[in-house]
Amino acid sequence: MPELPEVESIRQQLEPWLVGRQIISAGSHPSAKFSPAVETIGMTIESVSRRGKYLLLGLDDGREMVIHLGMTGQLFPIESPTDPYLRAWWGMDDESILGFRDVRRFGRIRVSDANHHEGTLAILGPEPLSEEFTPEHLYAALKKSNRKIKTQLLSQKPVAGVGNIYADEACFRAGIYPGVRKATKVQVVRLHAEIINVLSLALENGGTTLRDYVNVEGDQGRNQEFLLCYGRYGEPCYACGDILKRTVLDGRGTTFCGNCQKR
DNA sequence: ACTACGTCCTGCGAGC
DNA sequence: TGCTCGCAGGACGTAG
């Protein structure tokens, strides 16, 4: 599932290709999740940026195309729009074609006025790798809600871009049971640092590929080799040797160490 | 206002 | 071998 490191890796590769390109044709899957793709025909792409897990293509009419990759979304150049899992495509003025492939169709595309977003994008927390994301901010944000701490991270409100993989990784490394509803200031300081650590590491490693993730070049990430917790249930904890456990929190599979992450 | 849960999707792997 | 069934989960809609 593409989270911040994966989306940022894609953004970095899309930027030099797409900035300055004019979209001269486009097509989409009939679902309303993808059909806004065609609203960009005729527009020139002025920027390729990112907020959390959202890719933002700035258009020359003041609007932005917002792309969320969902679970299985992929963006890469294609020769022709023939792939059965292709959900949208854009033909550029240099005859290149950008394809959006998404097997499970959890992704979505919107076109809206820049700086006038809706849904989760409108209430997104700070970028975790910016100066705005401080321990004090995280502590204050988490204190506002009584939901489980992992559920809060996945809500994108305390901080943007953290999904299931990096939420499990950060909680494990911070020694916090992801189902707790209240964390001490000391715990939140550790959690803040580990969120930054796991995302930075994943970014350096070109993202995590468990199944579907590939970047624009078609390459898989390498960060799966560095995961300490996510998906390792049944295997021994690297810190204490106990067997990692699996549970479900608010519908999300969660791996944790019952010894290192006390409730 | 807040929290919890169902829904969307499809491929894959386990089990019979 | 071939089938069924449960699982994976980000964001959003709905219910309480």
Side-chain angles (χ1 to χ4, degrees), chain A residues 92-140:
Chain A
M92 305 294 164
D93 58 356
D94 63 353
E95 298 192 348
S96 62
I97 306 174
L98 171 62
F100 180 19
R101 184 177 190 268
D102 182 13
V103 171
R104 291 188 207 176
R105 291 161 56 185
F106 270 43
R108 61 177 61 228
I109 296 167
R110 285 198 300 257
V111 178
S112 58
D113 290 342
N115 308 317
H116 196 277
H117 294 298
E118 41 189 52
T120 301
L121 181 54
I123 57 158
L124 219 49
E127 282 297 312
L129 304 181
S130 75
E131 291 184 1
E132 198 185 339
F133 181 55
T134 62
E136 292 73 25
H137 167 86
L138 184 61
Y139 184 71

Side-chain angles (χ1 to χ4, degrees), chain A residues 160-191:
Chain A
V162 175
N164 209 34
I165 296 173
Y166 303 117
D168 274 11
E169 289 294 296
C171 287
F172 172 79
R173 293 165 70 132
I176 298 171
Y177 176 66
V180 297
R181 295 175 190 273
K182 294 295 171 198
T184 66
K185 194 140 198 179
V186 170
Q187 286 180 310
V188 173
V189 168
R190 291 189 62 185
L191 181 62

Side-chain angles (χ1 to χ4, degrees), chain A residues 57-70:
Chain A
L57 304 203
L59 307 175
D60 64 346
D61 64 350
R63 295 181 302 161
E64 277 180 340
M65 176 158 60
V66 181
I67 301 177
H68 196 294
L69 299 174

